[in-house]
């Protein structure tokens, strides 16, 4: 069994109220090193068998057609989830 991870983010020109709320709260909690926050969504798709190039292509297509709103969001990552990549950014 394999897992594909898909990260979707709001386009940079789209207002991000949730990100702004978090950005405003961080300094009040002592986290002053951060200057901006953008929120996004993450999907994990499980497949029977190995994650192949064909599976990744299908996952990207699903992300573009179903998991994201292309008017306001970008699909920023479609990759196999492994122990090495589990916590890595896009």
């Amino acid at each position: 069994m394999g897992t594909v991870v898909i990260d979707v983010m709001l386009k940079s020109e789209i207002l991000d109220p949730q990100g702004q709320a978090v950005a405003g709260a961080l300094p009040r909690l002592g986290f002053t090193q951060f200057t901006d926050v953008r929120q996004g969504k993450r999907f994990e798709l499980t497949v029977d068998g190995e994650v192949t190039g064909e599976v990744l292509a299908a996952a990207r297509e699903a992300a573009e057609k179903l998991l994201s709103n292309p008017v306001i969001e970008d699909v920023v990552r479609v990759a196999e989830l492994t122990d090495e990549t589990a916590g890595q950014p896009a």
Side-chain angles (χ1 to χ4, degrees), residues 9-70:
M9 297 292 296
L10 287 171
K11 293 180 183 251
S12 60
E13 63 270 15
I14 301 297
L15 182 65
D16 182 357
Q18 185 176 356
Q20 288 177 333
V22 171
L26 286 171
R28 292 193 301 273
L29 296 172
F31 300 103
T32 57
Q33 61 271 55
F34 306 109
T35 59
D36 192 27
V37 176
R38 300 290 293 175
Q39 68 90 29
K41 6 182 219 191
R42 174 185 170 115
F43 298 90
E44 292 185 7
L45 306 178
T46 303
V47 297
D48 286 330
E50 192 176 324
V51 176
T52 63
E54 184 177 297
V55 167
L56 291 173
R60 176 161 294 281
E61 185 176 358
E64 291 169 351
K65 290 184 174 181
L66 176 66
L67 305 178
S68 69
N69 176 346

Side-chain angles (χ1 to χ4, degrees), residues 60-82:
R60 176 161 294 281
E61 185 176 358
E64 291 169 351
K65 290 184 174 181
L66 176 66
L67 305 178
S68 69
N69 176 346
V71 174
I72 62 168
E73 297 173 317
D74 289 322
V75 177
V76 296
R77 177 170 68 159
V78 176
E80 180 177 9
L81 182 64
T82 65

